[in-house]
Amino acid sequence: AFRQATQLGEAVVNVLTDLPFEQRNKFKISALPEGKQVLKEPCGSEGWKPSHRDLTNLPADMMAVEDSSLCTRLILNCFGCGNLRPLTMYFSTNEGMPGLEVRRPFNLGGWICCPHKSKVIMGLDLVGEVEEDWHCGKNYCTRCFQAACCGTVYHDIKVPTPDGLQK
């Protein structure tokens, strides 16, 4: 379970000013409790639907912290595209041991044939790559409808092989 940390400073600045201020995101990552299963569909009835209290009571197994520029966050939020900002997400264990690193450059997205790509790195090694599956011409109108109206986006996951990155 992913749980985003409450950012009090962000809330105060947004209430007191007209600035589209956003702090670096921080997440607590927890394992699902014993015997619980994730929902198969967003509106499905089969699976765990945790309450706020359920999520806050879960012990943290890992932490994830975003590294991005304050200036970039402010500028892109002013134009309504703060979620597209370039960032690096660092994952670490509770003991502070470094884990995965996810690097995502700025990109407008697959709907204009510039799909988002993130590199997943552990130490100095490339573990894989995640790329939006928006191959232009491949069910383009359907993909636009699904992304805009249903919040559904498809991704290709690529892992390194001796012949390069493969799906």
Side-chain angles (χ1 to χ4, degrees):
F2 264 67
R3 179 81 177 156
Q4 186 171 0
T6 303
Q7 309 275 357
L8 185 58
E10 186 176 303
V12 170
V13 170
N14 285 322
V15 167
L16 298 177
T17 70
D18 285 335
L19 286 175
F21 179 71
E22 185 175 340
Q23 290 181 296
R24 294 176 180 157
N25 291 309
K26 297 175 185 170
F27 299 90
K28 175 178 97 169
I29 304 166
S30 305
L32 283 175
E34 193 72 32
K36 303 288 184 184
Q37 292 182 349
V38 232
L39 286 171
K40 301 269 190 251
E41 299 172 11
C43 298
S45 59
E46 301 288 322
W48 187 43
K49 294 180 184 175
S51 67
H52 170 73
R53 179 168 290 187
D54 290 337
L55 290 173
T56 48
N57 288 339
L58 286 175
D61 293 322
M62 292 185 77
M63 297 299 291
V65 179
E66 171 188 340
D67 184 20
S68 62
S69 156
L70 172 63
C71 184
T72 302
R73 288 193 309 273
L74 281 172
I75 290 169
L76 291 177
N77 279 332
C78 283
F79 291 104
C81 56
N83 61 320
L84 304 176
R85 66 184 171 271
L87 60 85
T88 300
M89 187 69 73
Y90 295 99
F91 293 82
S92 61
T93 64
N94 274 348
E95 294 82 35
M97 298 295 294
L100 292 175
E101 181 179 314
V102 178
R103 296 179 188 166
R104 185 189 74 189
F106 172 78
N107 228 332
L108 291 175
W111 64 279
I112 60 165
C113 299
C114 296
H116 295 288
K117 279 186 187 177
S118 298
K119 292 190 182 300
V120 182
I121 298 163
M122 168 118 15
L124 299 175
D125 298 323
L126 177 67
V127 175
E129 198 172 84
V130 179
E131 180 180 358
E132 270 186 307
D133 179 5
W134 273 82
H135 304 293
C136 290
K138 179 181 170 185
N139 302 321
Y140 183 76
C141 292
T142 303
R143 293 280 167 100
C144 285
F145 172 79
Q146 289 174 330
C149 300
C150 305
T152 303
V153 181
Y154 298 91
H155 292 85
D156 288 332
I157 299 174
K158 300 176 182 176
V159 294
T161 66
D163 298 326
L165 287 173
Q166 301 290 320
K167 290 185 193 182

